[in-house]
Amino acid sequence: MSPMRVLSVTSEIYPIVKTGGLADVAGALPIALKTEGIEVRSLVPGYPAVMKALAEVSEICSLPNFFGGNARLVGGSHGELDLFVLDAPHLYAREGNPYLGADGKDWPDNAFRFAALARAAFYIGLGTVPGFVPDVVHGHDWQAGLMPAYLLYSHQPHPVTVMTVHNMAFQGRFPRELLGPLGLPPESFSIYGVEYYGDISFLKAGIQFADRITTVSPTYAVEIQSDDYGMGLAGLLRQRASDLSGILNGIDTAVWDPANDAAIASPYGVDCLELRAPNKAALQQRMGLRASPDAFLLGVVSRLSWQKGLDLLLTCLPTFASGGMQLAMLGDGDADLRDGFSAAAAADPGHIGVVTGYDEKLAHLIQAGCDALVVPSRFEPCGLTQLCALRYGAIPIVAGVGGLADTVRDESEAGSDATGFTFSPVTAENLDHAIRRAAAAFFASRSNASNWPRMQLNGMLTDVSWRHRAGRYAELYRSLLAQRGG
């Protein structure tokens, strides 16, 4: 029997191009699915970084006059990833962020850039590549949202479709006047189609027309059916509740492995936690913090945004100087938050260190060197940094929302099975209280009167890999094909 074939459609993929957790998932899941007997190829835009990363490029077909210029579909690979790449220089030959120009604003032609990606998926789904006709086409986030619509409105036999929502806040909303230029029929512009408050929503198209919808944690799957979290699409998600499921993300445990991590100062494992200490010293030195093994060192690796709740943490900073705490922050985002944390670091360099931007090696050192990792998100579909923290023996302090609630067991509720600290509702006062609870447990551990070492071990022994998560996707694909009779 030939293996099941899945086409994954994504706008970014680790390790080639990454702006957030979508890339990590898109890069790790296809590899994990191989153990399930599933052959996955990923369709990605031909950004400069992607074209440079390809090995043994082969042209599959040409696509003339394709959303404003000539394009071609090529095949290649990068490491363990098998790729289709939409080589469309007029859409993608731009350095920097995949979605934003140098001015920090969306590229004005983003509607066409990602409609083109979905259209290329449509062609592959209908058999443009004879050697790879997919059984399932799996789109990720709004950038792939038009794929199920193109397939449905073709009125041709086509593969089953799955749409994964990684973050409801990003919806791909564009003016209705683009309906024709995007290649969508007039009848698609309705409440039962792509119409969204008078505009076109790519994400709504995916949710409306995909055979199944997934999101990246069970709790978030419930939350987005509420008006508070549904971002205007809660009603549609409630209607499709029987087709919606939450599957937790995993992390690549070969990349995130404290026992074999070249980016940290001192590798360690569950049987030698004492070897973790040199990483704390290295992190303090790297961030310009006072050298102190007894300080309670908090880490943050995050996009600086309202969603991530970093304004709440900024409010809590006075606690640090008075409470024997330190902060090592890596991130970038909103100018006000960036400036606020930078000013705090300049005013109190011994306690607060901030690096603006993203540095993969530093992210690993923060996980290995901090005592606790803070993730105070107002909403969080899954979250990956807390999974890395568990793997590295850093205690997560997280808001009790979405995937954070699904992956961290609170110290006051789980007892000897605890892995961290959670707080809810998401307010500055509750965050401050959670940090103080964690600090008390950390300082008590210096006299062996705390559950802290047990929490570290619990976290490090938690399975945060893709092993079981990939199996859930495989089950979903197989159930869809069984329903279709394939």
Side-chain angles (χ1 to χ4, degrees):
M1 184 191 308
S2 61
M4 183 192 304
R5 290 174 167 173
V6 175
L7 175 68
S8 174
V9 188
T10 178
S11 59
E12 53 187 87
I13 190 165
Y14 179 85
I16 305 172
V17 58
K18 172 180 173 177
T19 68
L22 166 61
D24 293 302
V25 175
L29 181 56
I31 297 169
L33 283 167
K34 290 181 181 180
T35 63
E36 298 289 334
I38 296 174
E39 180 184 355
V40 182
R41 295 195 188 183
S42 300
L43 171 66
V44 296
Y47 309 123
V50 172
M51 300 307 297
K52 291 174 186 175
L54 286 179
E56 300 181 7
V57 177
S58 60
E59 181 169 328
I60 295 168
C61 67
S62 61
L63 299 167
N65 302 315
F66 195 66
F67 292 95
N70 294 329
R72 60 180 187 147
L73 186 66
V74 302
S77 63
H78 182 81
E80 295 184 74
L81 296 169
D82 296 316
L83 303 174
F84 292 124
V85 178
L86 178 58
D87 181 20
H90 62 291
L91 298 174
Y92 305 127
R94 307 167 192 181
E95 297 291 345
N97 189 285
Y99 317 116
L100 310 174
D103 59 1
K105 297 180 180 179
D106 290 348
W107 291 111
D109 60 346
N110 271 351
F112 299 110
R113 298 174 75 231
F114 297 109
L117 182 69
R119 194 71 175 179
F122 158 81
Y123 287 135
I124 297 171
L126 293 187
T128 292
V129 186
F132 186 88
V133 179
D135 302 292
V136 181
V137 184
H138 185 165
H140 295 272
D141 265 352
W142 72 264
Q143 293 90 348
L146 290 190
M147 172 271 295
Y150 286 143
L151 287 170
L152 182 76
Y153 285 115
S154 74
H155 303 294
Q156 299 181 56
H158 60 266
V160 296
T161 55
V162 176
M163 191 73 202
T164 293
V165 179
H166 295 263
N167 194 331
M168 287 293 299
F170 302 102
Q171 301 190 353
R173 185 171 178 175
F174 301 101
R176 63 181 299 173
E177 290 76 22
L178 295 183
L179 192 73
L182 291 173
L184 293 166
E187 62 268 23
S188 68
F189 193 77
S190 76
I191 192 173
Y192 304 107
V194 304
E195 187 271 334
Y196 178 80
Y197 296 96
D199 289 330
I200 298 165
S201 167
F202 284 31
L203 184 64
K204 184 192 175 186
I207 293 171
Q208 182 77 59
F209 295 125
D211 293 304
R212 285 292 299 271
I213 309 149
T214 73
T215 191
V216 289
S217 73
T219 293
Y220 193 60
V222 174
E223 289 175 342
I224 60 177
Q225 296 178 59
S226 71
D227 293 338
D228 288 341
Y229 289 92
M231 307 291 178
L233 291 171
L236 174 57
L237 288 162
R238 288 193 293 267
Q239 290 174 19
R240 299 217 59 196
S242 62
D243 298 317
L244 170 65
S245 56
I247 302 174
L248 275 172
N249 284 338
I251 58 173
D252 187 330
T253 51
V255 172
W256 293 97
D257 179 6
N260 297 284
D261 192 335
I264 67 178
S266 175
Y268 60 95
V270 293
D271 56 345
C272 51
L273 263 177
E274 69 277 4
L275 296 180
R276 198 174 185 275
N279 295 301
K280 183 172 183 176
L283 179 59
Q284 287 170 327
Q285 181 179 26
R286 171 71 172 82
M287 303 297 290
L289 302 172
R290 180 173 57 87
S292 171
D294 294 325
F296 183 43
L297 177 52
L298 299 179
V300 172
V301 180
S302 179
R303 187 172 75 252
L304 305 183
S305 68
W306 179 89
Q307 177 207 329
K308 298 295 184 179
L310 274 306
D311 56 312
L312 306 178
L313 183 61
L314 193 58
T315 301
C316 296
L317 290 187
T319 298
F320 285 59
S322 62
M325 304 182 203
Q326 296 178 331
L327 174 67
M329 170 176 279
L330 171 64
D332 203 354
D334 294 352
D336 289 347
L337 289 172
R338 185 175 63 240
D339 294 345
F341 281 106
S342 296
D348 194 0
H351 290 102
I352 301 170
V354 175
V355 171
T356 300
Y358 189 74
D359 182 322
E360 185 76 17
K361 290 184 178 180
L362 180 56
H364 283 244
L365 183 60
I366 289 175
Q367 295 285 9
C370 72
D371 297 304
L373 188 90
V374 185
V375 191
S377 304
R378 287 183 168 88
F379 63 95
E380 192 63 68
C382 179
L384 297 177
T385 55
Q386 87 281 7
L387 300 181
C388 299
L390 292 169
R391 175 85 165 147
Y392 276 61
I395 303 299
I397 303 171
V398 304
V401 298
L404 302 176
D406 288 332
T407 54
V408 178
R409 299 188 297 272
D410 184 77
E411 185 262 354
S412 65
E413 299 173 359
S416 61
D417 293 327
T419 57
F421 298 83
T422 65
F423 65 95
S424 182
V426 185
T427 64
E429 180 181 9
N430 288 337
L431 170 60
D432 188 75
H433 180 63
I435 291 172
R436 290 177 185 273
R437 279 202 296 138
F442 171 79
F443 290 126
S445 71
R446 316 321 266 173
S447 60
N448 297 316
S450 167
N451 194 31
W452 192 271
R454 169 54 59 187
M455 283 193 288
Q456 287 183 293
L457 291 174
N458 287 345
M460 294 180 74
L461 292 171
T462 299
D463 183 3
V464 295
S465 73
W466 274 104
R467 182 175 55 180
H468 298 301
R469 276 82 158 178
R472 291 283 310 280
Y473 281 104
E475 291 171 8
L476 175 67
Y477 300 152
R478 292 186 181 111
S479 69
L480 274 172
L481 291 175
Q483 292 170 18
R484 175 77 66 92

